Structure formats: C-alpha cells, structure tokens
C-alpha cells in the first residue's frame, strides 16, 4: 500500500505559513534532551519547508502534563534548543500556545522563520480535540502539516484539529513510517519472517492475527510464548501467563496452519525461580518447565532456530523482546535475534517501544533498515487500523 495522502511535496508552500505538528516528546534529564532521535526525525521536513521559503510554526506535546497550565519541567524549550543545535537554524521559542501572545508570535512569522510553540498538552482541551482548539490552531497558518507519527493514532486537537479548517498534508517522516509499516502487508519480499515477543498475548493479539495473514513464518518469544505453551498443553510453572487467552492462542495456531504461516515457538527456555536482577537462569526444554520456575528468556537451541529463520528471510518485522532483556542474564535471546537481523541483508523493520530500546541497548540501530519512531502508532498500523491523524489529511 503506497501512501495515499498528500505530502508537503504536493502542495505549494512557497511564502506560505505552515503549522506543523511534530513529535518532540523527547526524554529530558535536568532540562537536557537525553535522546534526540525524535528531533532528528523531524528535520528532513523542516529543512524542506525552510528551503522552499515557508514560514514554520512547530508544535508538539512532551510528557504527561496535568493540562492545567505551564509546568516548567515539561517545557518544549529544550527540544527547540536541540533543533537549533542540530540544524544550525535560528529557532525561536515562545512559552505560549493558545493565547494572544502565541497568536501574535505566529502572525509575525516570516518565510524562512522557525517558531516553536509551548507544549500543546498544557491545556486539557487539546486532548479532547475541542473545536475551539482546532480553530485556534488553524488560525495560525495557511497549511497544516502532520509529521508526528508517534501521535498520529490520537484524534487530538494538535493532530487532527486544524485539518478541518485549512489544507492538511503529511511530512516526510509520517509518509515513510506509514509506507514502511504497511509495506509488510502489501508486497513484502519473501520469505517474510515476523518476530513477535514482549510480555502479553492480549496486548499483541491484533498484531499477531494480522501478521499471520502476511508472514511466511511467525516467530514467537518473550512472556507471551507461555500462553501458547498452555494452548499446546505444556506446563509453564510460574511463567507469565494469561489464562483467558489460552483458547484464542490455540485458535491462532490453528489459523496460522490454515493460512500457511509457519509458527515457531521456543523449544527451550532459560528459567529462574523468581523475577529479579539477581535471579539465576537454568536451561530447560519447553515441555519440562518445573512447577516452581518461570521462563525468562528463550534458550540456546531456540536462539539457533530463530536466528536461522531470520537469516533466510528477505523481510523481517520485529516487535517485542524475546526475554526479560532489562536483566543482562536474560537478554541473550533478544540480543542474538537482534544481531542476526542486523547482520542479514534483509529489509528489517522494527516497531515497539521496548524493542527499539533493546536495539539501542545493543548498539544495533544503524544495522536496521527502519526503526519506527512511534510505539503505539506503529502497533496500530500493524494491527491494520487507520490512524486518525493520517485519515484527516488531503487525499493524494
Ligand atoms: P514492545 O514495547 O517492544 O512492544 P512489550 O511492551 O510488548 O514490547 O514487551 C516488553 C516487555 O516484555 C519487556 O519489559 C520484557 O521484560 C517483557 N518480557 C519479555 N519476556 C518476558 C518473560 N519471559 N517474562 C516476563 N516478561 C517478559
Ligand atoms: Mg512496551
């Protein structure tokens, strides 16, 4: 599925004023941006607009403000400063979003200027997509651009509001994210291997069911594997399990077989007697997990099996760690699979907050073809859902 919405390329931005929703929801420590990935990700569109003589007004949320006004530790100022540092552009920042001062600052924006507004979530009405908020945003500019992929699944004022009143198009990040994440369902190069892990079946059910439709092989790891074990009649000891989802897991195994999607489950596991940093791991076969032990990672034989499947793939989509990777002794499975994906020539697409954190922890980010900047939004796309932010844009 190619991107079906207009982008900044499809609209005349010369001399126009652009209001762009970006995702500058960056981690901060003592007022300093500790990971600038999201700021970097917005730069191609900002650069394009500046080079095409547009006046640029940027807005974003950051963190989880109460919505009752200014909170100094959640100001967007550090993100604006980071943008200036990374681009060398003169970036203005104003500690206002919705008031007369903000409106005046937007009115004063000239072609080539960049102005960053304060955190849009300092006002509660923003999250509800209040029409007053939408109208206000639309009054600031001639054109609305959505490049905040990370919030494109939220029908909030700054994401969809302005699109009701002024022409709305996508930025390059949004376009690339949607294109890449939907490509795995359109015409993936085969074999297409999907790797899904993480804690719960219940939170990934839509993802799993949709991937079965497209993938040649679906690799399952992480805590969710144990609910599948129960569906197969294995004991799982004290492992993470979701009793209510056993039946659904069983149905999925059956459905996968009908669809010709091969499902791989762990054949061995690293188990421990408690969940903790100090827990000691032992390897056991999948049908021999002791009653008093819990599965913390995939075992060495499973690592071999999974890495082998990944090596043969032309396309890999990965979401969800293979084990409790936050503890080093249970990170081996996740790391080995990540390394195998990185080392292969396949097109590798990574989605999900913790999976991306794992890739970064192992220093493998530059070996992947695409790492999604949106956790929730990328999952909704992979579940086959439409994103409200994208829906609101002009059709191409
Ligand atoms: P993502 O954010 O990439 O979508 P999830 O949020 O679904 O991934 O899952 C990540 C979490 O799953 C991690 O915190 C990890 O510790 C946990 N996890 C993985 N394997 C296990 C396991 N065997 N038991 C308990 N938790 C697990
Ligand atoms: Mg997560």
């Amino acid at each position: 599925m190619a991107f079906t919405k207009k982008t900044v390329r499809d609209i005349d931005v010369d001399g126009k004023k652009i209001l762009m929703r970006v995702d500058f929801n960056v981690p901060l420590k003592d007022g300093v941006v500790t990971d600038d990935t999201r700021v970097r990700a917005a730069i191609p569109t900002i650069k394009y607009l500046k080079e095409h003589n547009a006046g640029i007004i940027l807005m974003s949320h950051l963190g989880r403000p109460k919505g009752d006004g200014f909170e100094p530790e959640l100001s967007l100022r550090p993100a604006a400063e980071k943008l200036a540092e990374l681009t060398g552009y003169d970036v203005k920042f104003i500690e206002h979003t919705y008031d007369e001062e903000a409106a005046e600052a937007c009115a004063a924006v000239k072609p080539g200027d960049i102005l960053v507004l304060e955190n849009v979530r300092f006002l509660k009405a923003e999250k509800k997509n209040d029409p007053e908020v939408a109208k206000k945003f639309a009054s600031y500019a001639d054109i609305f651009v959505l490049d905040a992929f990370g919030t494109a699944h939220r029908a909030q004022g700054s994401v969809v509001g302005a699109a009701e009143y002024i022409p709305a198009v996508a930025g390059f990040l949004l376009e690339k994210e949607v294109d890449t994440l939907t490509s795995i369902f359109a015409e993936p190069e085969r074999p297409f291997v999907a790797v899904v892990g993480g804690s719960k079946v219940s939170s990934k059910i839509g993802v799993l069911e949709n991937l079965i439709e497209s993938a040649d092989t679906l690799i399952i790891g992480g805590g969710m594997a144990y609910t599948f074990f129960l569906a197969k009649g294995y004991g799982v000891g004290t492992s993470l399990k979701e009793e209510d989802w056993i039946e659904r897991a069983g149905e999925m195994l059956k459905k996968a077989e009908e669809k010709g999607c091969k499902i791989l489950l762990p054949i061995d596991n690293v188990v421990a007697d408690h969940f903790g940093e100090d827990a000691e791991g032992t390897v056991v076969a999948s049908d021999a997990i002791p009653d008093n032990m819990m599965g913390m990672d995939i075992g060495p034989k499973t690592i071999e099996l999974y890495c082998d499947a990944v090596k043969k793939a032309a396309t890999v989509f990965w979401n969800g760690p293979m084990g409790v990777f936050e503890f080093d002794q249970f990170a081996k499975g996740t790391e080995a699979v990540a390394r195998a994906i990185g080392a292969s020539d396949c097109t590798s697409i990574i989605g999900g907050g913790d999976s991306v954190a794992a890739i970064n922890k192992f220093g493998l980010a530059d070996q992947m073809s695409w790492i999604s900047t949106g956790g929730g939004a990328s999952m909704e796309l992979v579940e086959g859902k439409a994103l409200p932010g994208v829906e609101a844009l002009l059709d191409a």
Side-chain angles (χ1 to χ4, degrees), residues 71-387:
E71 290 175 50
E73 65 288 355
L74 293 177
S75 171
L76 266 182
R77 187 186 291 275
E81 286 169 356
K82 181 53 80 177
L83 176 64
E85 179 195 319
L86 291 171
T87 56
Y89 293 154
D90 182 16
V91 177
K92 293 191 191 73
F93 175 77
I94 178 165
E95 239 168 55
H96 300 262
T97 318
Y98 302 98
D99 56 9
E100 207 37 53
E101 268 124 316
E104 276 168 24
C106 290
V109 166
K110 302 271 175 307
D113 286 355
I114 302 175
L115 169 70
V116 179
L117 301 179
E118 186 51 284
N119 194 334
V120 293
R121 287 197 191 157
F122 285 164
L123 184 77
K124 255 192 208 103
E126 139 73 2
K127 279 180 106 171
K128 291 187 219 125
N129 189 19
D130 184 296
E132 289 313 308
V133 168
K135 275 185 214 157
K136 175 136 283 183
F137 285 143
S139 75
Y140 290 167
D142 307 307
I143 296 166
F144 175 69
V145 174
L146 181 67
D147 210 24
F149 175 68
T151 45
H153 60 314
R154 306 268 184 233
Q156 298 172 348
S158 64
V159 179
V160 297
E164 288 182 43
Y165 304 99
I166 55 176
V169 300
F172 299 130
L173 174 66
L174 184 72
E175 179 192 31
K176 174 80 180 167
E177 288 272 18
V178 174
D179 241 358
T180 307
L181 288 161
T182 52
S183 70
I184 57 176
F185 299 106
E187 283 170 343
E189 254 194 271
R190 297 190 181 276
F192 168 28
V193 176
V195 184
V196 183
S199 45
K200 292 176 172 176
V201 177
S202 57
S203 67
K204 301 278 168 79
I205 196 81
V207 168
L208 291 165
E209 288 186 331
N210 219 21
L211 285 172
I212 282 174
E213 304 285 333
S214 177
D216 300 295
T217 303
L218 173 62
I219 291 178
I220 293 176
M224 70 164 64
Y226 303 106
T227 300
F228 283 94
F229 280 12
L230 289 171
K232 285 173 72 93
Y234 298 164
V236 299
T238 55
S239 305
L240 194 71
K241 53 177 166 281
E242 291 178 287
E243 313 266 2
D244 295 347
W245 290 85
I246 299 172
E247 208 180 308
R248 194 80 179 263
E251 283 164 14
M252 206 179 308
L253 293 175
K254 225 193 274 158
K255 193 170 150 210
E257 206 176 300
E258 286 162 20
K259 298 265 170 200
C261 171
K262 186 170 178 189
I263 292 200
L264 296 182
L265 283 164
I267 48 178
D268 59 352
N269 312 267
V270 180
V271 298
D273 63 0
H274 71 284
F275 189 94
E277 199 142 19
D278 58 338
E280 240 176 273
T282 323
V283 176
V284 299
S286 292
D287 57 0
I289 299 178
D291 287 346
N292 60 341
M293 301 286 248
M294 59 176 72
M296 300 290 278
D297 194 9
I298 56 174
K301 285 192 183 130
T302 309
I303 289 181
E304 218 181 299
L305 176 75
Y306 286 8
C307 290
D308 201 47
V310 160
K311 274 181 208 146
K312 291 180 186 142
T315 306
V316 173
F317 170 75
W318 180 29
N319 166 254
M322 296 290 100
V324 185
F325 76 99
E326 293 92 339
F327 303 147
D328 286 343
Q329 71 274 35
F330 305 118
K332 288 197 189 78
T334 305
E335 177 163 8
V337 172
R339 286 199 186 282
I341 297 172
S344 132
D345 295 333
C346 68
T347 300
S348 47
I349 302 161
I350 321 293
D354 292 292
S355 318
V356 174
I359 299 272
N360 287 330
K361 176 175 165 162
F362 308 133
L364 295 169
D366 57 358
Q367 294 182 32
M368 305 301 170
S369 315
W370 185 252
I371 297 184
S372 178
T373 58
S378 62
M379 287 306 99
E380 291 202 11
L381 266 187
V382 176
E383 284 172 23
K385 289 189 187 149
L387 307 182

